[in-house]
């Protein structure tokens, strides 16, 4: 927000398009020249037409912009694109291999969304979340940290997904979709 | 209420009912849990929302917002901003195109569109709220626009602002009307009856200022063509309303404005009216002479887009020894602004819910210097049911009677204030089924009687209520020679499943498989009518129009089929099935649409129809109802509240698509959980600035806050509504906060009448 108290004259103004970056997005190398202030989210949405990742808050509070970076979930609105040279980014557009990812199909079956705006973030987040779970990472609701296995329970899922807001309130459907897509793999 | 309105209400009582829709009792796609037709696009990230349309030569606009609530602009120093790299234009009152003031909502003139505030900003130096745009910066990129906006310096002449609801509520006055109804209503002498009642409660309930916070922030893209026509992509719940309001502001013909909105990322009422960023985006595009996008930041949404008014409500209930209500007194105050003029209609709720010997309801409103308040999910009923349904619970304890039983005892036979017949009200049945499923009878009557370690446990219940609205709608229907059908309506989709349910409907009515029907919407170039995704009215409004359009198309097809067709001169009924028209009960005697059209040498037929006025809504008392049951756990040490179980038992006419309807009902309940326990927009009451304009500080429910929400419904069709359905979009939030407050009382013995029920209030 502009405020009358700011002293903007001293602020150095970087020229536009001054940084050249190379990103691997959904398996494709993309090189582009961007304003170094650009977030990964804005690179995706405004420069590469990958509008699957959504902007809900632009400050790390809603999860709508979640993408996978080297397989881990990250908030693309809080990631400066120029710092991501060489990283592999997967957006919702790159989640499926041909048809639908089982989780995408489960979202449709269990009506894990209404408006669909938070959905790409929920799906990317859930995929990253499940990987964390499979890797044995505990969460704030994990009772026994030393236990050999953690139960893939509703509470675990909800705690781990609580960074992804859904104002339409599709939480019940999202949780069901996550169970139906991943429960089998937990058992493995 | 005007004399004309009163006369109308009397006249409609003598109007005959429309014949019930034959589809009401037919099994088809309607009533089955069809998955969303746009589900694939949404889960693949392919559904394009407003800010995502690719437009050539697009520039980015960022608003500069006032940091004072009242006063005037002395000067705007844009020297540095103008010279900042990439800046194309800085739009202020000095160079903004002339914009007329837009109209506010008037239910009688929905077709003209409306804005949330009747101010046209950037037209003068006056500041009416903290957050009002004072300039718009247009630049080549978003980063450049944001940076340059931070360089604009504004000097103000600040005046004392009236912003504190608490301090000013005593000055509230009676508005001329509340949603077209008389603002105050008396039946008998409620004060006297209350004084003499055997049992009574009399308390004040407070609800704070809330914001919708749809996850998609408001956005617009505007482009002018050489002929001065305007195209706008806008995150709106009302494409035609947006079009007409914009046309009026810019002095254009309605036909010279086109508004496109295929997918809206949640609205909840916050995107129903035109807000000034859309007009500013169009103004900026004009000044910059190129297409401009203005996608508001989350903070901008709080500053530019208003939410729900705070309220203070008094509910006094008196009952006789048998438990019958002798008096319902429900009064109070809400806030609005001089430019929004919207008194949120909480006082309409008590007019339709309970039988009472006397009643005194009414509301006042106070003008504040804040952003315009607006409709937010179940405006009126959400906060009205919090107060009324908390009070009912309090009275039940005072009488030592079960709260479900108390409600049953006071179930009215006719509308308590209008005296009209209920078209379809089975609330008692919803309570019966809900109580059974929830196991209500196993609940101990005494508060503070269940405990699990440091957690106190309680169960609460409350009535959900939301009226039925319908607006005349226009649709276009095309049946093509390949046997497919296309329904077109200037409808809106923000998550309700608009296309899905309309395709189900048209397929049933046309006798086509789902795959053969498509639905085009989200574009004001489609037939012009006030189809709004608001008031839980859209599905019914469109359905009524589709019904008449299909009937017209069928008549034309029979004519087209000619004398050689088995349909000619048929003296049995003709029915639509198997992709065409066939004689009822006579097997394959008839003809498919494809065959009729091919024989006639036609590629398609197309009809356009408008549904009639919603007289049924005036003739009958019509509403969706429900019983909300919940279980709350309250931590004795921290005051933390956890909702561990929820069952909503609804009576919303026929459920058209159980999958999407249940999602909407749940969504409303989730928002009700937020309303009850966490949400609150905090205003600095000295300066009128919102202090928590972010999703980090305005707490909406997250995954872990929401239990499994079980939904059951009566599924009893209403013979007087299109498809037998009532709305399901808003009712979910109603009664929810009261059910929670009631459960918390049952758990702790503490009655909290002041939302949100945060930890401190329970310690
Ligand atoms: S947009 Fe990144 S967390 Fe909200
Ligand atoms: S589906 Fe609308 S915000 Fe989640």
């Amino acid at each position: 927000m502009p405020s009358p108290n700011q002293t903007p004259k001293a602020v150095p103004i970087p020229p536009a398009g001054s940084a050249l970056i190379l990103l691997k997005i959904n398996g494709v190398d993309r090189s582009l020249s961007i304003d170094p202030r650009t977030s990964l989210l804005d690179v995706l949405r405004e420069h590469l037409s990958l509008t699957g990742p959504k902007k809900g808050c632009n400050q790390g509070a809603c999860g709508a912009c979640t993408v996978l970076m080297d397989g881990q979930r990250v908030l693309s609105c809080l990631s400066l694109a120029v710092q991501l040279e060489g990283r592999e980014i997967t957006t919702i557009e790159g989640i499926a291999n041909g048809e639908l990812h089982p989780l995408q199909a489960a979202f449709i079956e269990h009506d894990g969304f209404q408006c669909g705006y938070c959905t790409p973030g929920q799906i990317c987040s859930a995929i990253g979340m499940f990987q964390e779970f499979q890797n044995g990472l505990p969460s704030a609701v994990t009772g026994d940290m030393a236990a050999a296995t953690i139960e893939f329970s509703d509470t675990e899922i909800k705690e781990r997904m609580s960074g992804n807001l859904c104002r339409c309130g599709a939480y019940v459907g999202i949780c069901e979709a996550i169970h139906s897509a991943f429960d089998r793999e937990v058992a493995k | 209420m005007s004399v004309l309105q009163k006369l109308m209400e009397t006249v409609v009582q003598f109007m005959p009912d429309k014949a019930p829709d034959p589809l009401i009792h037919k099994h088809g796609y309607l009533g089955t849990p069809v998955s969303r037709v746009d589900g694939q696009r949404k889960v693949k990230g392919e559904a394009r929302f407003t800010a995502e349309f690719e437009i050539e030569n697009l520039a980015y606009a960022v608003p500069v917002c006032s940091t004072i609530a009242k006063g005037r602009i002395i000067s705007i120093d844009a020297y540095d901003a103008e010279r900042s790299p990439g800046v194309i234009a800085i739009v202020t009152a000095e160079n903004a195109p002339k914009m007329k003031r837009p109209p506010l909502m008037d239910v009688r003139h929905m077709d003209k569109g409306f804005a949330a505030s009747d101010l046209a900003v950037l037209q003068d130096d006056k500041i009416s709220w903290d957050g009002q745009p004072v300039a718009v910066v247009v630049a080549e990129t978003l980063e450049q626009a944001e940076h340059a906006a931070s360089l604009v310096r504004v000097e103000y002449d600040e005046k004392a602002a009236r912003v504190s609801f608490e301090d000013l509520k005593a000055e509230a006055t009676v508005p001329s009307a509340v949603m077209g109804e008389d603002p105050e209503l008396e039946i008998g002498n409620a004060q006297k009856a209350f004084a003499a009642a055997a049992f009574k409660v009399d308390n004040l309930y407070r609800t704070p200022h809330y914001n919708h916070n749809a996850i998609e922030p408001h956005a617009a893209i505007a482009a002018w063509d050489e002929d001065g026509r305007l195209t706008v992509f806008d995150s709106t719940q009302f494409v035609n309303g947006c079009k007409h309001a914009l046309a009026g502001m810019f002095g254009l013909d309605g036909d010279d404005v086109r508004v496109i909105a295929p997918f809206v990322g949640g609205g909840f009422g916050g995107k129903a009216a035109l807000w000034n960023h859309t007009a500013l985006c169009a103004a900026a595009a004009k000044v910059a002479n190129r297409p401009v996008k203005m996608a508001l930041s989350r903070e901008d949404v709080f500053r530019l887009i208003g939410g729900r008014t705070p309220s203070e409500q008094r509910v006094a209930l008196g009952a006789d020894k048998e438990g019958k209500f002798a008096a319902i007194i429900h009064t109070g105050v809400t806030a609005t602004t001089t430019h929004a003029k919207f008194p949120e209609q909480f006082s309409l709720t008590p007019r339709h819910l309970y039988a009472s010997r006397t009643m005194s309801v009414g509301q006042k409103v106070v003008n504040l210097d804040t952003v315009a308040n607006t409709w937010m999910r179940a405006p009126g009923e959400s906060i009205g049911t919090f107060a009324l349904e908390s009070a009912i619970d309090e009275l039940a304890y005072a009488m030592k009677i079960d709260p479900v039983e108390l409600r049953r005892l006071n179930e009215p036979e006719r509308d308590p204030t209008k005296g009209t017949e209920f078209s379809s009200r089975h609330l008692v049945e919803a309570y019966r089924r809900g109580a059974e499923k929830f196991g209500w009878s196993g609940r101990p009557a005494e508060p503070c009687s269940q405990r699990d370690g440091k957690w106190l446990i309680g169960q609460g219940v409350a009535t959900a209520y939301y009226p039925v609205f319908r607006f005349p709608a226009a649709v276009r229907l095309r049946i093509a020679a390949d046997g497919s059908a296309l329904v077109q309506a200037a409808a809106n989709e923000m998550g309700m499943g608009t296309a899905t349910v309309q395709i189900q409907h048209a397929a049933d009515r046309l006798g086509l498989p789902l795959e053969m029907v498509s639905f085009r919407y989200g574009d004001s170039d489609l037939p012009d009518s006030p189809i709004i995704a608001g008031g839980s009215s859209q599905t019914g409004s469109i359905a009524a129009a589709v019904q008449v359009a299909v009937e017209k198309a069928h008549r034309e097809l029979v004519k087209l089929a000619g004398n050689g067709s088995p349909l000619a001169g048929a003296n049995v009924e003709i029915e639509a099935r198997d992709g065409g028209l066939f004689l009822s009960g006579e097997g394959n005697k008839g003809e498919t649409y494809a065959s009729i059209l091919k024989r006639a040498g036609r590629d398609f037929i197309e009809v356009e129809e408008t549904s009639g006025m919603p007289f049924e809504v005036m003739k009958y008392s019509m509403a969706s109802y429900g019983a909300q049951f919940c279980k709350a756990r309250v931590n004795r040490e921290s005051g933390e509240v956890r909702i561990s179980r929820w069952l909503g038992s609804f009576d919303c006419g026929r459920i058209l698509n159980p999958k999407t309807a249940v999602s909407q009902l749940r969504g409303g309940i989730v928002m009700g959980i937020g309303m009850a326990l966490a949400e609150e927009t905090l205003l600095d009451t000295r300066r009128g600035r919102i202090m928590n304009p972010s999703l980090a500080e305005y707490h909406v429910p997250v995954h872990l806050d929401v239990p499994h929400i079980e939904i059951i419904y009566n599924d009893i069709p209403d013979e007087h509504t299109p498809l037998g359905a009532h709305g399901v979009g808003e009712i979910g939030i109603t009664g929810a906060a009261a059910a929670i407050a009631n459960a918390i009382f049952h758990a702790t013995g503490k009655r909290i009448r002041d939302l949100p029920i945060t930890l401190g209030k329970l310690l």
Side-chain angles (χ1 to χ4, degrees):
Chain A
M1 284 305 294
S3 106
N5 310 331
Q6 272 175 327
T7 46
K9 280 191 176 137
V11 179
I13 299 159
S18 63
L20 196 68
I21 56 164
L22 188 70
L23 297 172
K24 190 169 196 148
I25 298 170
N26 298 332
V28 181
D29 284 323
R30 313 287 298 248
S31 97
L32 63 165
S33 157
I34 53 159
D35 185 322
R37 294 170 293 191
T38 316
S39 69
L40 173 61
L41 178 61
D42 286 332
V43 163
L44 296 169
R45 286 171 64 83
E46 306 297 335
H47 297 263
L48 298 174
S49 298
L50 289 168
T51 54
K54 303 300 181 201
K55 188 183 275 190
C57 68
N58 211 27
Q59 55 182 196
C62 76
C65 63
T66 307
V67 298
L68 298 170
M69 193 186 297
D70 300 329
Q72 290 190 328
R73 50 180 176 166
V74 295
L75 298 174
S76 62
C77 73
L78 293 187
S79 315
L80 264 186
V82 286
Q83 294 180 303
L84 307 179
E85 187 82 31
R87 311 294 291 268
E88 256 188 66
I89 316 285
T90 308
T91 69
I92 189 73
E93 289 93 340
I95 291 292
N97 226 337
E99 284 293 279
L100 290 177
H101 184 285
L103 185 60
Q104 289 173 314
F107 261 66
I108 296 176
E109 180 54 32
H110 295 275
D111 215 32
F113 54 92
Q114 291 183 49
C115 75
Y117 197 79
C118 73
T119 313
Q122 301 276 1
I123 291 174
C124 288
S125 183
I127 290 171
M129 177 276 294
F130 187 63
Q131 205 47 57
E132 292 160 18
F133 181 85
Q134 290 292 67
N135 294 344
L137 222 68
S139 81
V141 297
T142 309
D144 180 2
M145 301 279 184
T149 56
I150 308 170
E151 196 201 336
F152 195 53
S153 64
D154 265 9
T155 314
E156 280 287 353
I157 292 174
K158 287 180 188 169
E159 162 61 25
R160 291 163 191 258
M161 290 298 293
S162 279
N164 288 82
L165 306 181
C166 176
R167 189 56 161 162
C168 295
Y171 295 132
V172 173
I174 294 171
C175 210
E176 285 173 358
I178 291 173
H179 272 302
S180 98
F182 294 133
D183 277 359
R184 248 168 312 138
E185 291 189 48
V186 179
K188 265 189 233 164
Chain B
M1 203 190 302
S2 69
V3 182
L4 197 66
Q5 210 176 334
K6 283 220 169 83
L7 187 71
M8 196 66 219
E9 287 196 357
T10 314
V11 170
V12 293
Q13 294 309 317
F14 300 99
M15 287 174 65
D17 291 332
K18 258 186 81 194
D21 179 358
L23 269 195
I24 288 179
H25 300 288
K26 210 170 135 195
H27 286 285
Y29 293 112
L30 288 174
T32 57
V34 175
S35 289
R36 290 167 196 269
V37 295
D38 42 23
Q40 287 245 2
R41 295 170 69 191
K42 287 183 175 177
V43 300
K44 286 158 116 179
E46 287 172 0
R48 291 249 162 180
F49 294 83
T50 296
E52 299 168 356
F53 283 87
E54 282 178 73
I55 310 290
E56 232 178 287
N57 199 28
L58 186 68
Y60 292 79
V62 169
V64 177
C65 300
S66 163
T67 54
I68 66 160
K70 195 179 175 68
R72 44 174 220 97
I73 302 166
I74 295 173
S75 67
I76 296 183
D77 175 2
Y79 184 90
D80 292 325
E82 266 161 6
R83 281 154 190 78
S84 184
V87 169
I88 300 162
I90 311 240
V91 189
T92 65
E94 303 227 322
N95 60 345
K98 191 103 206 78
M99 287 178 267
K100 289 195 202 110
R101 293 172 70 137
L104 295 172
M105 187 179 90
D106 176 344
V107 262
R108 292 159 307 176
H109 299 292
M110 291 289 285
D111 52 330
K112 294 204 170 66
F114 49 82
S117 151
D118 66 3
L119 293 177
V121 297
L122 294 200
Q123 298 297 295
D124 55 30
D125 61 356
K126 216 177 126 207
I127 301 294
S128 300
W129 80 91
D130 183 303
Q132 174 185 325
V134 294
V136 175
V137 176
V138 187
E140 297 290 342
T141 70
L142 178 61
E143 291 75 19
Q144 291 169 333
E146 281 175 346
H147 180 70
S150 76
L151 304 179
V152 175
R153 281 168 302 238
V154 187
E155 208 189 315
Y156 300 99
D157 171 16
E158 188 171 358
K159 299 241 164 57
R162 294 162 46 92
V163 289
S164 167
F165 179 68
E166 262 322 289
D167 295 350
L168 296 164
K169 66 190 182 206
E171 294 178 21
T173 54
V174 180
S176 58
V178 174
M179 282 288 285
E181 299 285 334
D182 292 333
E184 295 181 317
L185 184 123
E186 303 281 338
I187 297 176
N189 189 334
Q191 314 302 333
K192 217 164 125 191
F194 176 70
F199 299 99
K200 52 185 118 176
V201 291
D202 184 358
N203 290 294
L204 286 181
Y205 301 86
R206 293 189 182 84
T207 61
H209 177 176
Y210 293 110
N211 276 82
H212 312 78
N213 275 316
I215 301 297
E216 177 205 28
H218 295 59
I221 296 176
W224 296 85
D225 70 13
E226 313 84 71
D227 302 323
R229 279 194 302 251
L230 174 64
T231 300
V232 176
F233 296 84
D234 189 57
S235 50
T236 176
Q237 298 174 223
F238 187 14
V239 283
N240 270 321
C242 181
K243 158 177 126 167
H244 288 292
L246 277 175
M249 287 186 82
F250 287 95
L252 299 171
D253 241 25
D255 290 345
D256 289 336
V257 180
R258 181 176 180 193
V259 175
I260 301 169
F263 292 105
V264 174
F268 319 114
K271 294 169 179 169
L274 177 77
W275 290 90
N276 52 59
H277 68 283
T278 305
L280 290 182
C281 185
K286 193 153 218 179
V287 174
N289 197 23
R290 57 192 271 195
V292 164
K293 164 152 85 183
M294 187 184 296
L296 298 187
S297 69
R298 179 58 54 183
E299 178 173 347
D300 290 339
V301 174
F302 276 88
R303 306 243 181 263
L304 272 68
I305 314 292
R308 195 194 297 284
T309 167
S311 79
E312 182 180 275
Q313 303 171 55
R314 173 190 173 210
V315 182
L317 301 174
D320 62 22
K321 282 205 219 56
E322 286 70 47
K324 299 269 191 195
F325 292 160
I328 295 179
I329 299 171
H330 191 158
T331 56
V333 185
T334 62
T336 187
T337 68
T338 51
H339 49 100
K341 302 185 185 68
F342 170 51
E344 180 159 339
Q345 65 270 28
F346 72 81
S347 70
L348 299 192
T349 305
R351 302 182 190 202
H352 309 290
L353 273 183
Y354 298 103
S356 175
R357 278 209 328 270
T358 69
M359 206 179 287
S360 171
V361 299
Q363 64 184 95
K364 293 181 174 177
V365 66
V366 60
N367 287 323
L368 301 180
D369 297 318
T370 59
V371 62
N373 64 310
T374 194
W375 310 279
M376 180 166 163
R377 207 169 199 160
E381 285 75 15
S382 49
I383 55 176
T385 52
F386 165 64
L388 182 59
E389 291 299 302
S390 293
I392 300 271
D393 199 64
E394 298 198 51
L395 183 64
Y397 282 104
M399 297 173 66
K400 298 201 183 336
I401 182 175
D402 184 274
V404 174
E405 177 60 13
L406 179 59
R407 291 179 174 94
R408 200 188 57 77
L409 274 175
N410 290 284
E411 175 69 8
E413 273 166 23
R414 298 180 83 84
D415 188 279
T417 51
K418 298 239 181 218
T420 47
E421 206 181 309
F422 291 116
S423 65
S424 174
R425 171 165 165 146
H426 308 280
L427 175 57
V428 173
E429 173 66 1
Y431 262 106
R432 192 194 60 74
R433 299 179 71 223
E436 188 181 303
K437 190 104 202 230
F438 191 78
W440 185 257
S441 61
R443 162 195 186 260
E446 279 303 303
C448 311
S449 47
Q450 300 161 88
R451 188 187 272 201
D452 171 16
K454 56 186 173 197
W455 293 90
L456 306 175
I457 297 167
Q459 290 84 2
V461 71
T463 293
Y465 163 80
Y466 191 78
V468 168
F469 295 101
R470 181 170 75 73
F471 298 105
V475 302
R476 191 183 295 145
L477 167 69
R478 171 186 287 227
I479 301 174
D482 64 359
S484 70
L486 169 67
V487 181
Q488 305 180 65
N492 313 276
E493 158 65 12
M494 50 175 190
M496 308 82 77
T498 309
T500 310
V501 79
Q502 292 304 337
I503 286 174
Q504 289 175 266
H505 170 210
D508 276 352
R509 198 162 302 271
L510 289 161
L512 287 173
L514 274 190
E515 317 75 69
M516 295 299 276
V517 182
S518 44
F519 184 65
R520 229 189 106 205
Y521 68 94
D523 187 340
S524 69
D525 268 5
L526 297 169
D528 195 358
S529 67
I531 300 177
I532 180 171
S536 299
S537 69
Q538 185 172 253
T539 301
S541 298
I542 301 171
V546 168
Q547 180 179 356
V548 284
V550 169
E551 285 163 2
K552 184 171 181 186
H554 281 165
R555 285 194 300 274
E556 287 195 13
L557 283 162
V558 170
K559 235 193 275 162
L560 216 53
N563 287 339
S565 151
L567 300 168
N571 47 15
V572 297
E573 219 175 295
I574 293 175
E575 61 187 21
R577 57 177 156 90
D578 306 320
L581 294 172
F582 294 87
L583 299 186
S584 183
E586 296 197 27
N588 58 4
K589 264 206 183 149
E591 197 172 2
T592 63
Y593 302 130
S595 156
I596 297 173
L597 288 167
K598 272 186 205 134
R599 277 199 305 109
R602 296 277 291 271
D603 290 337
F604 61 85
I605 60 156
E606 192 166 89
V607 297
E608 209 170 299
E609 270 290 8
T610 303
S611 58
M613 290 291 291
F615 294 125
E616 75 281 10
V617 177
M618 281 183 240
K619 179 169 178 181
Y620 292 97
S621 181
M622 282 190 172
S624 289
Y625 306 94
Q628 309 263 28
F629 294 84
C630 82
K631 180 170 169 188
R633 295 163 63 86
V634 183
N635 188 307
R636 270 200 320 148
E637 289 159 13
S638 67
E640 183 186 354
V641 179
R642 292 272 146 210
I643 304 302
S644 58
R645 190 173 169 210
W646 201 287
L647 173 88
S649 175
F650 290 95
D651 177 47
C652 305
R654 184 179 188 208
I655 296 298
L656 304 178
N657 180 329
K659 195 179 270 199
T660 53
V662 163
S663 286
Q664 284 205 74
L665 293 165
R666 282 180 176 151
I669 291 165
V670 171
M671 208 175 263
I673 293 175
M675 171 182 171
L677 297 177
E679 295 180 36
E680 177 169 21
T681 308
L682 298 163
L683 205 69
D684 176 340
T685 50
R686 298 158 306 170
R687 309 277 324 273
R689 192 164 176 81
I690 292 172
M691 300 188 291
N692 57 340
S694 77
L695 288 173
E697 291 167 292
Y698 182 102
H699 297 149
V700 306
V702 304
H703 276 275
L704 199 58
D705 296 326
V706 176
H708 179 78
I709 297 173
E710 208 178 328
I711 302 288
I712 59 174
Y713 40 83
N714 290 345
D715 211 11
I716 302 170
D718 182 342
E719 304 274 329
H720 304 293
T721 59
L723 307 180
H726 289 177
V728 294
E730 320 204 33
I731 184 157
I733 193 174
T734 68
I740 291 171
N742 297 346
I744 290 173
F745 177 79
H746 189 232
T748 64
K750 288 190 182 132
R751 176 62 65 177
I752 311 297
R753 306 185 183 92
D754 179 15
L755 296 184
I757 307 173
T758 42
L759 285 58
K761 295 178 187 170
L762 288 166
L763 291 177

